[in-house]
Amino acid sequence: MPSSQWTGLFVLVTALCCLFTATVSVKYENFKTCDQAGFCKRNRAYADSASVSGWEAPFKLTPESLSWKNAQLQGTILKTINKDGETVRLPITISFLESGSARVTVDEEKRQKGEVELRHNSIARKERYNEAESWAIVGGLDLSKSATESRDAKTSTVKYGSEGQFEAVVTFAPFGIEFKRNGVTEIKLNDRGLINVEHWRPKVEKVEPEKKEGEEKKEGEETPAPEAPAGEDESTWWDESFGGQTDTKPRGPESVSLDITFPGYEHVFGIPEHAGPLSLKQTRGGDGHHSDPYRLYNADVFEYIMDSPMTLYGAIPFMQAHRKDSTVGVFWLNAAETWIDIIKEKQSHNPLSLGIGSKTDTKTHWFSESGLIDVFVFLGPTPKDVTKAYGELTGYTQLPQEFSIAYHQCRWNYNTDEDVKDVDRKMSKHQIPYDVIWLDIEYTHEKEYFTWDPLQFPDPIGMLQQLDKSERKLVAIIDPHIKNNGYHIVEELRKQDLAVLNKDGQIYEGWCWPGSSNWIDCFNPAAIKWWISLFKYDKFKSLPNLFIWNDMNEPSVFNGPETTMPKDNLHHGKWEHRDVHNLNGMTFHNATYQALLERKKGELRRPFVLTRSFYAGSQRLGAMWTGDNQASWDHLAAAFPMILNNGIAGYPFAGADVGGFFGNPEKDLLTRWYQAGAFYPFFRGHAHIDTRRREPYLAGEPYTGIITQALRLRYSLLPAWYTAFHEASVDGTPIIRPHYFEYPGDEAGFAVDDQFFVGSTGLLAKPVVKEGADSVEIYLPDEEMYYDYFNYEKYTGRGSKTISAPLEKIPLLMQGGHIIPRKDRPRRSSGLMKWDPYTFVIVLNKAGTARGELYIDDGETFDYQSGAYIHRSLSFENGVLSSTDMGGKGKLTDKYLKTMKNVGVERIIVVGAPKSWEGKKTVKTSKGEANIEFHAENGNKAAWAVVKNPMVMIGEDWKVEF
């Protein structure tokens, strides 16, 4: 074997050893700190310089360059680069959008015009990357029709918004922008003067002075280190080494940075993905602060650590800031490696106040390795306003197939098709509901995607057919690395020039699960078209109940720098990988989504594709999960803050591996994890190949029974979950909602991230995530009535309440004033529940009223876009429950209603029923009378009543009079 192949084999074996060892946690030395990332270190140093007294910011907007047209203010910022006053021209465009959002974009004229020279004869693009918009943005860019601009010698002021309530004050020298709402400054750009655009400059090669006779270096004598140049640190401008690999940087230094201040805001949220609390910590001082900035650089980080700003698998550079009754946000549209520093400074109104009445300003500093400064500003004022405005730009979450919000059973790996069928039979035998079973990489023939192992999976069609009998599905993994062994897929990839290239323009070769691999370049439209063709049934042996899992799409490269692809690799259009890294996973996710839309002509179905790597906009394409977690209590506890953060950052279809991917959870932990997982929007049990089997029926009693009850709770509430998914798909509202989102004026709840509301149902959940706990403290934000979901025990009064939580109990409350839709008949899968009748749980508030919604469609196709859905408004007031139509009418509405004409309501439960109902025997319905049973208050347990078979249909208007 040639030496290069021996080297590659050694690298692969070493990497695999690390990945297979379940006891080894993340290797810090494999991932950069800020000090090891040249541009991060430089921009932090720049910030330190700017904090020195007498600092003069070198960026000024020239008034004479300004023009105003069609709600856009355009001009040129001049960056002074030396003592001689030489400047660099930076075109700026400030756009004011009809939605009420604003956008600020700064480019570099010389690179924009291609008037630069690249080193090493590089064939890379000369411009700053300007195509992130084409992947992340899908709408919301219409320019304002009512914005107005006025100008004086020092500033330009723009009034915009639907009622002129927003204002942007642009200061020329030093450059800065203040964004105001109703006259109050909410966001400041470049308040601290930290804007920085590392302009192009040629490398000046330092000439070594010629040595005179007798000064030659003697044998064994060390060469003295070159003197550090005065001024800026150039050590990482032209190349940068890490982990034994060198990034050649043909364009030289090109980072961009900007400081963004939120005056009066103490809490900032978002910028996933990180393992830490919902309310982001300081990174440069302060209590419990981090020492590094939050990093966004998608990477394969297995067994990640807790409470860390370290990069993980996905990157959404969207941040919300919140204070009492006010939320604002920013979206930093840049796909390169990005770091964010956070400082919180208290400002006292009176030096004698000893902090009383002081306010906190949160000051952030954003820096990216390349690309543009491109930032969107959202002025709220509510969390929902900010999330909705962000969603108008990047798209709302996919309305998924209904099966995908049920339970998924997965491990690496089910070994054979008979193994899959056996698990399927046993889940049915033990009456444990599930919808999907998953296959990791071992199903393939020698890790060649789009193949089946002929010995272990000789009959994939038979396997899929058995699952289909119970309306169950199969998900198979397909990753972006294609085995480089000459099999037909890789040969097509290479012949059609659809692979990622190295810096020299040759097909890039790296190492991943198959060994030597090439990577599909899904920035290339031709590659997407080819990828779509591979999923046709005649190419990949399967049936319509097979769906796809995209893993390792950061991309993960075992022998690459930081376990990913070299930054000087080249993608379609000759863009460097450094420019597009955080978009890479999304482009692959998109290609697979497109492939599953129509695998057979005329068979158009909503795809289901799970991704590990993601960016802003990935929410349009499917679900994500939090990656390779551990079977430990701290990883269980960390999941909810991570999922909540993803939700407010526009990507709510999120979950964590139930039970933990690495390690073997003790049975209490596994049980508690299922109880928590029942409240993950994406609910999947998963485990590493080296772990013991842990299907729910193997746990033994009482654990199997408790886990089954948690699963049945999820299934009974699927109508409520699907309604919440629908709401997220039309306005971006998170599916599980943190406290501040629902109660933006309640300061005591702003940082709460271990309890949450489920959709608009009023369900308030706080699953147990601490070892040995048999109770929880749950925080109530108001004076409304709350009832235990299971026994109707009453709680009221703002503040903390103790909820008993023995192992078999999930702490779950119902807030008065809501109507919760359910389906209570146990089934093996959600598909078998399709025609089952509904139960409505009416949870009365102190005023004796309640409201709710129910959304239904076929859970599979796109027919809902043509009116094939039911959307009901449910209201209980003055003793009358009514159901009215909320939906519009489309061409398929009547046809769909006919299919649902026999689906009715089998029970109505009223929690907190008035004592006056005692003795009542019947209620009046639209079709006659129905019996009612009243159960009197018992101790602290509320009175309740149940109406059985009220004889009303789910798709019709009706009333029930109590």
Side-chain angles (χ1 to χ4, degrees):
M1 182 182 289
S3 61
S4 61
Q5 289 180 285
W6 277 114
T7 302
L9 183 59
F10 173 76
V11 169
L12 178 62
V13 171
T14 303
L16 289 176
C17 286
C18 293
L19 290 166
F20 278 117
T21 306
T23 57
V24 177
S25 62
V26 61
K27 292 183 175 293
Y28 293 100
E29 64 273 16
N30 288 351
F31 301 94
K32 290 181 180 180
T33 63
C34 182
D35 274 350
Q36 294 169 313
F39 80 95
C40 184
K41 185 177 181 180
R42 293 195 302 272
N43 279 288
R44 267 196 157 184
Y46 188 81
D48 292 339
S49 300
S51 65
V52 175
S53 177
W55 162 264
E56 185 176 344
F59 292 82
K60 294 179 172 60
L61 178 58
T62 57
E64 62 274 14
S65 70
L66 286 177
S67 66
W68 171 261
K69 185 179 180 182
N70 298 331
Q72 285 188 321
L73 187 66
Q74 294 184 306
T76 301
I77 294 174
L78 295 183
K79 174 189 178 184
T80 303
I81 62 174
N82 56 35
K83 294 178 181 177
D84 298 329
E86 188 179 351
T87 59
V88 170
R89 295 173 62 82
L90 307 173
I92 180 172
T93 301
I94 308 173
S95 305
F96 298 91
L97 308 178
E98 190 67 20
S99 64
S101 305
R103 181 184 192 180
V104 180
T105 307
V106 180
D107 204 337
E108 179 185 351
E109 186 176 279
K110 207 158 195 175
R111 295 190 203 256
Q112 195 179 52
K113 293 181 175 179
E115 296 172 352
V116 300
E117 295 177 6
L118 305 189
R119 299 168 61 240
H120 315 301
N121 297 314
S122 172
I123 58 174
R125 288 282 281 270
K126 295 180 177 181
E127 308 99 304
R128 289 181 173 273
Y129 183 63
N130 55 14
E131 295 180 2
E133 175 184 317
S134 65
W135 292 99
I137 306 295
V138 293
L141 293 180
D142 291 343
L143 294 169
S144 171
K145 298 179 178 66
S146 58
T148 60
E149 190 246 2
S150 60
R151 201 177 308 170
D152 60 29
K154 295 182 178 180
T155 62
S156 167
T157 301
V158 178
K159 292 187 179 294
Y160 65 107
S162 58
E163 299 172 0
Q165 71 273 40
F166 303 143
E167 186 178 339
V169 180
V170 183
T171 303
F172 304 151
F175 166 72
I177 309 177
E178 285 192 32
F179 288 93
K180 301 180 179 184
R181 185 181 66 233
N182 297 324
V184 177
T185 299
E186 307 288 350
I187 295 176
K188 297 179 180 180
L189 303 190
N190 205 38
D191 178 46
R192 293 185 286 156
L194 305 187
I195 188 172
N196 190 20
V197 178
E198 292 188 319
H199 60 280
W200 181 83
R201 78 287 313 267
K203 182 178 182 184
V204 179
E205 302 291 348
K206 292 182 173 57
V207 180
E208 292 292 330
E210 188 177 333
K211 293 186 184 294
K212 297 178 183 178
E213 190 175 348
E215 292 182 343
E216 288 84 359
K217 178 180 164 185
K218 297 176 182 176
E219 189 174 346
E221 184 180 43
E222 290 188 5
T223 304
E227 291 184 22
E232 294 184 273
D233 176 11
E234 297 185 24
S235 61
T236 54
W237 278 9
W238 309 109
D239 55 56
E240 190 167 349
S241 296
F242 182 78
Q245 302 196 46
T246 299
D247 174 11
T248 58
K249 296 193 172 181
R251 298 187 302 227
E254 54 178 327
S255 75
V256 294
S257 73
L258 182 67
D259 65 276
I260 303 174
T261 297
F262 303 99
Y265 290 86
E266 185 174 355
H267 294 278
V268 286
F269 310 113
I271 58 169
E273 183 182 29
H274 301 97
L278 178 68
S279 184
L280 300 173
K281 292 186 173 184
Q282 298 186 70
T283 60
R284 304 203 78 178
D287 294 337
H289 71 280
H290 298 307
S291 58
D292 258 10
Y294 285 92
R295 190 184 188 201
L296 297 177
Y297 187 65
N298 297 350
D300 184 357
V301 184
F302 60 94
E303 284 198 298
Y304 47 85
I305 59 170
M306 300 295 94
D307 196 14
S308 170
M310 186 177 183
T311 192
L312 286 177
Y313 310 94
I316 301 180
F318 172 55
M319 178 183 283
Q320 290 189 22
H322 185 74
R323 58 174 166 81
K324 184 176 175 62
D325 293 322
S326 181
T327 310
V328 294
V330 293
F331 172 40
W332 179 266
L333 180 55
N334 189 301
E337 178 185 351
T338 298
W339 302 72
I340 304 108
D341 263 324
I342 298 173
I343 298 172
K344 300 182 181 182
E345 290 185 355
K346 273 202 179 338
Q347 305 270 342
S348 181
H349 295 305
N350 183 333
L352 302 178
S353 67
L354 301 178
I356 300 169
S358 65
K359 67 169 187 172
T360 298
D361 295 345
T362 296
K363 301 182 175 183
T364 65
H365 184 199
W366 302 64
F367 25 102
S368 296
E369 186 178 14
S370 65
L372 310 173
I373 292 176
D374 193 356
V375 60
F376 290 83
V377 174
F378 313 101
L379 293 180
T382 70
K384 190 166 185 174
D385 290 332
V386 173
T387 305
K388 188 173 190 295
Y390 169 76
E392 286 178 1
L393 292 170
T394 63
Y396 300 126
T397 195
Q398 174 202 29
L399 181 61
Q401 288 212 34
E402 191 164 12
F403 80 81
S404 66
I405 69 172
Y407 174 61
H408 301 248
Q409 179 64 45
C410 182
R411 73 172 283 110
W412 176 22
N413 202 82
Y414 290 113
N415 299 316
T416 65
D417 52 13
E418 283 302 320
D419 190 8
V420 170
K421 290 192 281 188
D422 184 57
V423 171
D424 178 63
R425 286 189 291 264
K426 285 177 177 172
M427 292 288 275
S428 294
K429 178 183 176 182
H430 289 85
Q431 299 182 334
I432 300 172
Y434 90 100
D435 266 62
V436 194
I437 192 164
W438 290 53
L439 293 177
D440 214 312
I441 52 179
E442 312 303 333
Y443 78 91
T444 61
H445 176 246
E446 297 180 350
K447 298 181 177 61
E448 298 171 350
Y449 297 119
F450 303 99
T451 69
W452 297 90
D453 186 301
L455 298 178
Q456 305 303 317
F457 290 86
D459 186 16
I461 298 299
M463 173 178 60
L464 287 160
Q465 287 172 336
Q466 177 179 311
L467 294 173
D468 194 49
K469 289 176 183 176
S470 298
E471 294 281 349
R472 289 171 175 159
K473 322 296 179 188
L474 182 76
V475 168
I477 197 168
I478 292 183
D479 294 343
H481 49 258
I482 307 298
K483 187 172 184 176
N484 185 21
N485 67 339
Y487 94 109
H488 69 285
I489 299 293
V490 78
E491 285 303 297
E492 290 178 24
L493 178 80
R494 296 171 70 92
K495 285 178 182 176
Q496 296 181 42
D497 295 324
L498 304 177
V500 178
L501 307 178
N502 63 23
K503 61 184 172 61
D504 300 316
Q506 304 301 310
I507 291 177
Y508 171 69
E509 179 188 1
W511 290 75
C512 206
W513 295 122
S516 174
S517 302
N518 302 140
W519 272 258
I520 181 173
D521 182 8
C522 291
F523 289 91
N524 185 345
I528 296 173
K529 185 176 180 180
W530 172 71
W531 194 248
I532 290 171
S533 74
L534 299 180
F535 287 83
K536 305 299 184 186
Y537 298 128
D538 60 343
K539 291 280 189 72
F540 181 29
K541 188 185 293 185
S542 60
L543 293 176
N545 63 331
L546 179 135
F547 296 87
I548 299 299
W549 169 16
N550 286 163
D551 197 0
M552 314 297 281
N553 52 332
E554 293 77 23
S556 176
V557 182
F558 292 162
N559 63 332
E562 299 195 87
T563 325
T564 191
M565 197 170 275
K567 289 181 175 178
D568 49 11
N569 272 7
L570 297 172
H571 289 271
H572 177 70
K574 298 296 187 290
W575 294 111
E576 280 196 296
H577 184 73
R578 87 179 71 253
D579 299 320
V580 301
H581 175 84
N582 287 339
L583 272 171
N584 187 86
M586 177 174 147
T587 66
F588 183 62
H589 193 196
N590 169 67
T592 306
Y593 176 92
Q594 299 298 330
L596 293 194
L597 277 170
E598 194 172 13
R599 287 175 276 179
K600 179 182 177 183
K601 190 167 184 179
E603 185 185 276
L604 193 64
R605 295 289 183 272
R606 294 179 231 170
F608 173 74
V609 188
L610 178 72
T611 185
R612 188 170 73 178
S613 181
F614 55 89
Y615 188 70
S618 290
Q619 67 270 12
R620 307 188 300 264
L621 306 171
M624 61 73 65
W625 91 108
T626 62
D628 296 344
N629 58 359
Q630 298 180 47
S632 65
W633 288 94
D634 59 345
H635 274 253
L636 167 59
F640 278 122
M642 294 176 74
I643 294 167
L644 288 169
N645 235 335
N646 248 67
I648 62 173
Y651 201 167
F653 197 3
D657 284 344
V658 170
F661 180 64
F662 287 105
N664 295 299
E666 65 267 26
K667 291 184 179 180
D668 278 16
L669 173 58
L670 182 64
T671 302
R672 289 300 196 191
W673 215 318
Y674 269 96
Q675 292 175 335
F679 293 91
Y680 296 168
F682 173 62
F683 183 17
R684 181 183 75 156
H686 187 36
H688 189 275
I689 196 169
D690 288 343
T691 62
R692 295 190 293 269
R693 295 287 283 257
R694 57 168 98 134
E695 289 73 31
Y697 51 78
L698 295 175
E701 294 300 342
Y703 305 102
T704 293
I706 298 171
I707 290 169
T708 301
Q709 287 306 311
L711 289 164
R712 287 183 178 168
L713 173 66
R714 173 60 168 240
Y715 274 74
S716 71
L717 287 170
L718 281 178
W721 281 98
Y722 196 65
T723 300
F725 267 86
H726 170 259
E727 187 176 355
S729 75
V730 296
D731 67 11
T733 307
I735 292 163
I736 61 172
R737 301 173 188 172
H739 233 73
Y740 89 90
F741 203 94
E742 293 292 282
Y743 288 87
D746 180 20
E747 293 176 289
F750 290 172
V752 171
D753 58 10
D754 57 356
Q755 63 180 62
F756 48 85
F757 290 91
V758 178
S760 299
T761 61
L763 287 170
L764 177 59
K766 186 173 182 176
V768 175
V769 296
K770 292 183 179 177
E771 184 174 10
D774 58 9
S775 67
V776 300
E777 296 296 310
I778 197 163
Y779 174 73
L780 303 185
D782 55 23
E783 299 295 331
E784 191 48 82
M785 289 298 303
Y786 289 78
Y787 305 87
D788 185 285
Y789 181 86
F790 302 99
N791 63 18
Y792 307 152
E793 191 168 346
K794 295 182 291 184
Y795 300 88
T796 191
R798 187 173 178 272
S800 185
K801 310 296 176 185
T802 301
I803 310 290
S804 176
L807 185 62
E808 68 275 10
K809 178 81 180 294
I810 302 173
L812 178 62
L813 301 182
M814 301 181 289
Q815 183 187 47
H818 295 272
I819 300 175
I820 304 167
R822 298 193 318 213
K823 285 191 174 185
D824 287 348
R825 297 185 182 183
R827 302 288 187 188
R828 287 169 290 166
S829 71
S830 67
L832 297 176
M833 298 166 63
K834 186 170 185 176
W835 310 111
D836 283 352
Y838 287 79
T839 291
F840 291 131
V841 181
I842 304 170
V843 189
L844 296 182
N845 60 17
K846 289 182 175 180
T849 65
R851 297 187 181 280
E853 287 185 23
L854 173 65
Y855 175 83
I856 313 164
D857 59 31
D858 65 19
E860 182 181 0
T861 72
F862 291 95
D863 288 355
Y864 68 90
Q865 296 175 346
S866 299
Y869 65 88
I870 292 169
H871 196 185
R872 309 300 299 179
S873 173
L874 304 164
S875 173
F876 185 90
E877 197 168 3
N878 299 322
V880 178
L881 173 65
S882 60
S883 173
T884 55
D885 187 16
M886 290 180 69
K889 191 173 176 68
K891 66 179 183 180
L892 296 180
T893 301
D894 291 341
K895 180 181 178 182
Y896 179 68
L897 288 175
K898 284 180 183 178
T899 68
M900 297 292 290
K901 67 179 181 179
N902 294 323
V903 179
V905 178
E906 67 175 346
R907 284 196 309 169
I908 299 169
I909 299 170
V910 182
V911 180
K915 188 174 176 57
S916 60
W917 289 4
E918 193 168 5
K920 185 183 283 287
K921 300 296 182 183
T922 62
V923 296
K924 184 179 179 181
T925 76
S926 300
K927 295 183 180 179
E929 292 187 338
N931 294 331
I932 181 173
E933 296 176 6
F934 180 83
H935 300 265
E937 191 171 302
N938 181 12
N940 192 43
K941 294 179 181 177
W944 60 286
V946 58
V947 177
K948 296 181 180 178
N949 190 23
M951 299 175 292
V952 294
M953 296 296 108
I954 205 67
E956 299 175 356
D957 288 355
W958 48 260
K959 292 183 178 180
V960 176
E961 299 177 23
F962 287 78

